[in-house]
């Protein structure tokens, strides 16, 4: 053992219990798990150290920003990755405080329970009160989410809301100077974008979606229908032609599976379908789905 201590320490060799003078090879799977466990522990320790250092330096950074000689007009980094919900919230809050002209937001997902909405004066009202314009894109299912509708109706100022069957991931563009994008599925990380070309591209993307969307507030437009098929059913039909399952359609449109199946049943009744296969054929024949797979405005 004296001539191979590293192999023993790493679990690649172990003493022979019948004869301690000999070393035997350990199972590779067990050795690998032990080595990986050590790496995971090192990574977790470094992450805790990073969080501790960030908390420790936060007061000092705040004081430095308030110092007379601090370069307040120093150019910000074109791309900044914020880790942790607290740091993301702080970065967005500071950008909102500096916003003076316009806020563009995309909020994916369907129904949002009232508990998710701010109970106190929302940040939107603070923007509106100082003359900012707010435009927000939701998914169509939000049109029937009464807590969201009530939240929007309480706002006073230049605010508009429109909806689409599908929207991009969450997006915030402020004064066409800074944008925020989620960098993790649980929104624990966000990318702050200040590169003018990228921010301009994101703002142009928002404008394209805005032109395609249906007004919801302050002057809601009724969901159009054609031959008894609503716009939402047209969107479902388009996704069915892509081969998506009921669950896949529900995820894309921010709906629950039961609602999707109810719309499919109504679509089948309108088109006179008696099976799922026949429904796909009748969707193609009806013309409610365009040649590229996108739904027509019914």
């Amino acid at each position: 053992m004296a001539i191979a201590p590293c192999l023993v320490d790493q679990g690649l060799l172990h003493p022979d219990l019948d004869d301690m003078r000999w070393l035997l090879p350990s199972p590779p799977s067990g050795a690998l798990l032990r080595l990986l466990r050590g790496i995971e522990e090192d990574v977790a320790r470094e992450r805790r150290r990073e969080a501790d250092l960030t908390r420790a330096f936060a007061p000092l950074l705040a004081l430095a920003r308030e110092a007379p000689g601090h370069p307040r007009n120093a150019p910000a980094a074109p791309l900044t990755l914020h880790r942790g919900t607290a740091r993301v919230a702080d970065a967005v809050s500071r950008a909102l405080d500096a916003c003076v002209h316009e806020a563009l937001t995309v909020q994916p997902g369907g129904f949002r329970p009232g508990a998710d909405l701010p109970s106190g004066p929302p940040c939107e009202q603070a923007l509106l009160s100082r003359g900012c314009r707010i435009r927000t894109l939701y998914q169509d299912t939000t049109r029937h989410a009464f807590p969201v509708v009530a939240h929007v109706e309480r706002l006073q100022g230049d605010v508009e809301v429109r909806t689409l069957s599908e929207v991009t991931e969450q997006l915030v563009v402020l004064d066409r100077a800074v944008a925020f994008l989620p960098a993790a599925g649980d929104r624990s990380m966000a990318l702050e974008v200040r590169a003018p070309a990228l921010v301009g591209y994101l703002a142009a993307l928002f404008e394209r979606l805005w032109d395609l969307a249906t007004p919801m507030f302050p002057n809601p437009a009724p969901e159009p229908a054609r031959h008894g098929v609503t716009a939402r059913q047209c969107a479902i039909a388009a996704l069915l032609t892509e081969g998506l399952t009921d669950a896949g359609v529900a995820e894309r449109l921010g709906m629950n599976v039961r609602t999707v199946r109810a719309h499919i049943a109504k679509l089948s009744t309108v088109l006179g379908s008696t099976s799922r296969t026949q429904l796909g054929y009748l969707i193609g024949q009806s013309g409610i789905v365009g040649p590229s797979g996108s739904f027509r405005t019914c």
Side-chain angles (χ1 to χ4, degrees):
M1 286 187 287
I3 61 174
C6 62
L7 298 179
V8 176
D9 293 342
Q10 295 181 5
L12 298 176
L13 295 176
H14 66 274
D16 185 352
L17 297 180
D18 295 328
D19 189 346
M20 297 299 290
R21 295 175 301 173
W22 294 92
L23 296 174
L24 299 177
S26 302
S29 58
L32 177 61
L33 288 176
R34 280 192 292 272
L35 292 173
L36 292 177
R37 187 180 302 114
I39 294 173
E40 291 175 354
E41 291 173 354
D42 291 341
V43 171
R45 184 165 52 252
E46 290 301 317
R47 285 180 176 170
R48 289 194 296 270
R49 183 168 176 269
E50 177 187 2
D52 292 341
L53 287 173
T54 301
R55 285 193 295 269
F57 272 77
L60 299 177
L61 293 173
L63 289 173
R65 285 194 294 267
E66 297 300 325
H70 181 71
R72 297 179 181 275
N73 297 323
L79 296 175
T80 304
L81 181 62
H82 300 286
R83 300 175 182 270
T85 54
R87 295 179 66 179
V88 170
D90 180 64
V92 174
S93 177
R94 284 187 279 107
L96 286 170
D97 289 342
C99 181
V100 295
H101 298 296
E102 181 182 51
L104 312 175
T105 65
V106 177
Q107 300 291 349
F111 178 77
R112 298 171 65 187
D116 289 344
L117 299 176
S119 56
C123 61
E124 294 100 315
Q125 188 56 62
L127 288 171
L128 295 169
S129 297
R130 59 175 180 264
C132 290
R133 181 189 186 195
I134 296 179
R135 286 188 288 163
T136 299
L137 274 172
Y138 287 112
Q139 287 187 262
D140 284 339
T141 46
T142 307
R143 302 178 76 89
H144 308 285
F146 296 111
V148 178
V149 175
H151 168 70
V152 175
E153 289 178 345
R154 284 195 297 267
L155 298 177
Q156 298 180 1
D158 188 357
V159 56
E160 291 183 69
V161 178
R162 294 187 182 183
T163 67
L164 275 173
S165 59
E166 292 186 81
V167 295
T168 64
E169 287 297 318
Q170 190 176 38
L171 170 66
V172 177
V173 181
L174 304 175
D175 286 343
R176 301 181 185 251
V178 57
F180 290 90
L181 301 169
D186 59 358
R187 298 182 182 177
S188 62
M189 294 192 296
L191 184 65
E192 180 178 341
V193 181
R194 290 185 179 270
L198 290 177
V199 177
Y201 176 86
L202 294 171
L205 173 63
F206 178 91
E207 295 292 354
R208 179 66 60 87
L209 295 175
W210 184 261
D211 290 340
L212 297 172
T214 302
M216 172 181 162
F217 180 87
N219 300 309
E223 293 185 83
R226 178 187 179 198
H227 303 307
V229 180
T230 66
R232 187 173 305 177
Q233 290 163 4
C234 288
I236 291 173
L239 295 180
L240 291 177
T241 61
E242 294 182 16
L244 269 68
T245 63
D246 295 353
V249 173
E251 182 179 359
R252 286 275 292 272
L253 300 182
M255 305 167 64
N256 61 58
V257 177
R258 181 178 299 177
T259 303
V260 168
R261 289 172 179 163
H263 280 295
I264 292 175
K266 293 178 182 177
L267 188 61
S268 298
T269 301
V270 172
L271 298 181
S273 170
T274 58
S275 69
R276 195 64 173 258
T277 302
Q278 186 185 26
L279 176 60
Y281 171 79
L282 292 175
I283 288 173
Q285 292 296 309
S286 66
I288 63 176
V289 176
S292 63
S294 60
F295 72 90
R296 298 181 185 277
T297 302
C298 299

